Amino acid sequence: MNILYKSTRGGESNIPASLAIIKGLACDGGLFVPNEIPKIDKPLKKLVGLTYKEMAFEIMKLYFTDFTEDELKYCIDNAYNEKFDTSEIAPVVNKDDAYYLELFHGSTIAFKDMALSILPYLMKVSAKKQNIKNDIVILTATSGDTGKAALAGFANVEGIKIIVFYPKDGVSPIQKHQMVTQKGDNTYVVGIEGNFDDAQNGVKEIFNNKGFNKVLDENGYNFSSANSINIGRLIPQIVYYFYAYSKMVENNDIKMGQDINVVVPTGNFGNILAAYYAKNMGLPINQLICASNDNKVLYDFMNTGVYNKKREFILTISPSMDILISSNLERLLYKISGNNESVILKLMEELYTKGEYKITDDMKKGLNDFYGNYATIDETYDAIKEVFDNSGYLIDSHTAVGSAVYKKYKEATGDDTKTVIASTASPYKFTRSVMKAIDESYEKYSDFELIQKMYELSEVAIPKAIKDILEDPIIHKRVCDKDKMKETIEEILNIS
Ligand SMILES: *Cc1c(COP(=O)(O)O)cnc(C)c1O
């Protein structure tokens, strides 16, 4: 079956996967979605025992239908290799009362590596297929983890430059250090005076600026995006839910066909949307549990049908989830509106002009697959401590939001379905918050001393990503105002 892509806002249709990957965002500001979600084309039991790479091929071939088998395998082989510190790529570990799907074994020790280690290859192949002669400029807004994962993925890839904007005071010290030490002649890292939403809105406006895109084209450049709005990021994230399921069957944790729940610590709604796609493809998922931190826009939305971004932006200990506009929600809205682009246009217009929108009761029924809740900062600390005390397993401050919300879910519903929690970062990436949760007395140590302390406590080897930043010099010092992102890009690309 041939899958083509269209914009959620109706402005583009019949776009092959390769073109959707190059463009990132549709011309009308909408997000690309497949014209239908394909069903898995084999009985599930045939997927049990597949390696991660084999599973990736089975899933991606259903979506990237204009790629040849060789092209797809080239991308997969280059992405899921020794860059990961385990050949399992995404191990599932049973700790305390849940199954933690560890998505942090890639080069930057957060789950965004799962998609960003393959996106550069998907883009390279796509550019060739679409006969693109210009250099591609990847523009990325990051709440901390995307930035480093994208930089690592795209560094020194020929024909591509990458510019990353991060909120100067809104990422963890280790996240910041990881980015500003990035090597590669084609990498640029810019701190902005503003929060993540400012960075993301700035990037979106630049993508939609027709005049600026024309100037860029005249100078031999094309913009593209490595944010989770790119379909080339969403699809690779579907793979690990199928993989986790097949591992659980293999390990006799569940029987073939038995339902599981999936908990996802959520920010931009990319990771949980991938789980929703997996469910729609035929993976036996009962509830999709959407876990938010104090920036609980999604929790409120799921309970009331009103999405309201007009509220205080709270800096939490799970900074990669400090988001008030979850971009990927637009893809879910599109699906639950019965693929109605005029509904999406209206809702997005209201979000832009009034800062809020309300969905109809009919659309709200489409949210029944989801359970939403949130964890405060204190509840997040408690969850880290509780899991560690019960099982000796150290989880990071994002995964802990998932863990805390799972506990609330169980208390509210009594549901004892086997549950997978997406473990989105290594505790080594958020050492300060994690160690503070274990014992306040760790607060006196520096971020770098805490790495050693965490090692002594957990006896989990210090990842290479952390060892590297201890040694690498700071290369990127650029800072700009949130209103000067366009000018900064002109300066970097040397265009006027
Ligand atoms: C990005 C990120 C999230 C949120 O994922 P979304 O796909 O944006 O919902 C959660 N945890 C960590 C560690 C992240 O880096």
Side-chain angles (χ1 to χ4, degrees):
M1 194 174 53
N2 193 16
I3 295 278
L4 291 168
Y5 292 80
K6 57 185 170 180
S7 165
T8 47
R9 301 187 192 176
E12 286 190 79
S13 58
N14 293 326
I15 305 287
S18 56
L19 188 55
I21 289 169
I22 292 289
K23 290 180 141 216
L25 198 64
C27 297
D28 57 359
L31 275 61
F32 285 113
V33 283
N35 47 18
E36 73 180 276
I37 297 179
K39 292 274 178 237
I40 190 81
D41 64 349
K42 293 202 164 101
L44 270 180
K45 63 173 187 288
K46 288 254 160 77
L47 300 180
V48 176
L50 295 191
T51 63
Y52 194 87
K53 284 186 191 186
E54 289 165 342
M55 188 70 84
F57 180 72
E58 289 301 325
I59 304 300
M60 291 191 213
K61 72 168 195 209
L62 301 173
Y63 286 92
F64 301 146
T65 52
D66 61 333
F67 281 58
T68 65
E69 182 172 331
D70 282 349
E71 286 169 339
L72 208 47
K73 286 191 169 157
Y74 158 81
C75 296
I76 292 169
D77 283 342
N78 278 289
Y80 304 114
N81 55 22
E82 309 73 46
K83 281 182 255 162
F84 286 76
D85 66 13
T86 159
S87 58
E88 273 195 89
I89 307 295
V92 183
V93 301
N94 181 202
K95 296 285 176 186
D96 205 8
D97 59 352
Y99 292 81
Y100 287 87
L101 170 58
E102 295 188 346
L103 302 174
F104 55 75
H105 289 275
S107 53
T108 76
I109 61 175
F111 96 91
K112 293 185 176 71
D113 286 327
M114 301 306 297
L116 281 165
S117 50
I118 193 164
L119 185 64
Y121 298 99
L122 294 172
M123 234 175 227
K124 226 169 120 177
V125 171
S126 297
K128 195 156 148 248
K129 295 178 92 63
Q130 292 294 332
N131 218 352
I132 307 267
K133 298 281 187 303
N134 280 348
D135 273 6
I136 295 173
V137 179
I138 305 289
L139 274 195
T140 292
T142 184
S143 56
D145 288 333
T146 302
K148 179 61 186 188
L151 288 162
F154 284 100
N156 297 322
V157 176
E158 230 175 284
I160 302 183
K161 288 190 195 307
I162 168 159
I163 307 176
V164 168
F165 292 96
Y166 69 95
K168 196 171 116 304
D169 301 314
V171 301
S172 84
I174 289 179
Q175 285 179 317
K176 181 167 173 176
H177 209 79
Q178 277 190 310
M179 289 192 276
V180 296
T181 55
Q182 177 64 47
K183 300 189 181 90
D185 294 341
N186 63 337
T187 63
Y188 305 89
V189 180
V190 186
I192 71 157
E193 312 274 0
N195 62 33
F196 171 70
D197 286 320
D198 295 325
Q200 173 155 274
N201 286 335
V203 164
K204 276 192 194 163
E205 269 167 33
I206 291 166
F207 274 127
N208 290 335
N209 183 332
K210 297 226 161 59
F212 192 38
N213 274 279
K214 189 156 167 285
V215 172
L216 225 69
D217 186 36
E218 287 159 8
N219 283 277
Y221 295 113
N222 267 63
F223 277 138
S224 190
S225 164
N227 274 95
S228 60
I229 49 176
N230 193 314
I231 200 77
R233 269 193 62 190
L234 181 65
I235 307 303
Q237 294 180 3
I238 299 172
V239 175
Y240 43 75
Y241 294 109
F242 277 91
Y243 184 72
Y245 191 90
S246 90
K247 281 283 163 206
M248 286 169 77
V249 172
E250 206 178 314
N251 298 338
N252 287 318
D253 295 319
I254 50 169
K255 291 202 192 64
M256 176 48 75
Q258 191 177 330
D259 272 355
I260 57 167
N261 292 328
V262 173
V263 183
V264 186
T266 296
N268 224 359
F269 210 75
N271 202 3
I272 195 163
L273 187 74
Y276 177 73
Y277 273 43
K279 176 170 177 158
N280 280 275
M281 290 173 75
L283 192 68
I285 296 177
N286 169 35
Q287 281 288 291
L288 294 154
I289 299 168
C290 177
S292 302
N293 63 21
D294 279 311
N295 297 291
K296 58 184 181 58
V297 204
L298 288 167
Y299 163 72
D300 292 339
F301 171 66
M302 285 177 182
N303 283 287
T304 62
V306 176
Y307 193 98
N308 184 348
K309 67 155 186 164
K310 291 173 299 180
R311 60 180 77 203
E312 189 195 347
F313 182 93
I314 301 170
L315 292 176
T316 70
I317 57 167
S318 39
S320 302
M321 298 161 62
D322 288 346
I323 290 174
L324 294 181
I325 303 178
S326 298
S327 297
N328 267 294
L329 190 66
E330 184 168 337
R331 288 189 166 113
L332 177 67
L333 294 172
Y334 184 74
K335 176 104 183 9
I336 63 177
S337 71
N339 300 349
N340 189 333
E341 47 262 350
S342 51
V343 170
I344 302 305
L345 271 173
K346 184 172 144 285
L347 296 180
M348 291 304 123
E349 180 66 20
E350 283 172 14
L351 182 63
Y352 191 73
T353 54
K354 290 190 239 148
E356 70 175 303
Y357 61 76
K358 183 177 195 317
I359 59 171
T360 61
D361 288 344
D362 248 8
M363 276 177 80
K364 198 156 178 281
K365 285 195 197 108
L367 296 179
N368 285 344
D369 288 323
F370 295 87
Y371 167 89
N373 214 325
Y374 72 102
T376 62
I377 293 175
D378 282 342
E379 288 168 337
T380 308
Y381 279 127
D382 289 347
I384 294 172
K385 173 107 173 99
E386 196 176 313
V387 172
F388 186 73
D389 286 349
N390 289 345
S391 63
Y393 184 58
L394 214 44
I395 57 176
D396 97 289
S397 47
H398 299 74
T399 309
V401 171
S403 207
V405 166
Y406 176 47
K407 192 171 157 194
K408 292 187 181 181
Y409 170 79
K410 269 191 311 185
E411 278 164 14
T413 63
D415 181 10
D416 63 355
T417 305
K418 297 268 168 84
T419 296
V420 169
I421 298 179
S423 183
T424 53
S426 159
Y428 278 106
K429 200 156 189 177
F430 300 95
T431 36
R432 177 158 301 279
S433 311
V434 174
M435 294 305 276
K436 183 177 169 194
I438 301 300
D439 193 330
E440 300 251 342
S441 70
Y442 283 115
E443 271 195 289
K444 60 180 178 282
Y445 296 106
S446 76
D447 284 305
F448 296 103
E449 283 164 345
L450 283 172
I451 294 170
Q452 186 59 31
K453 297 282 168 202
M454 182 172 281
Y455 172 67
E456 288 160 15
L457 182 75
S458 68
E459 293 174 0
V460 172
I462 299 173
K464 183 173 176 302
I466 293 294
K467 287 192 189 140
D468 285 352
I469 58 165
L470 294 177
E471 289 153 21
D472 293 348
I474 292 175
I475 298 172
H476 303 275
K477 295 181 181 154
R478 215 183 287 257
V479 175
C480 84
D481 194 81
K482 67 178 186 209
D483 302 322
K484 289 276 183 292
M485 289 166 64
K486 180 167 161 283
E487 288 75 6
T488 305
I489 295 168
E490 288 170 344
E491 194 185 297
I492 288 172
L493 299 177
N494 215 348
I495 55 181
S496 46

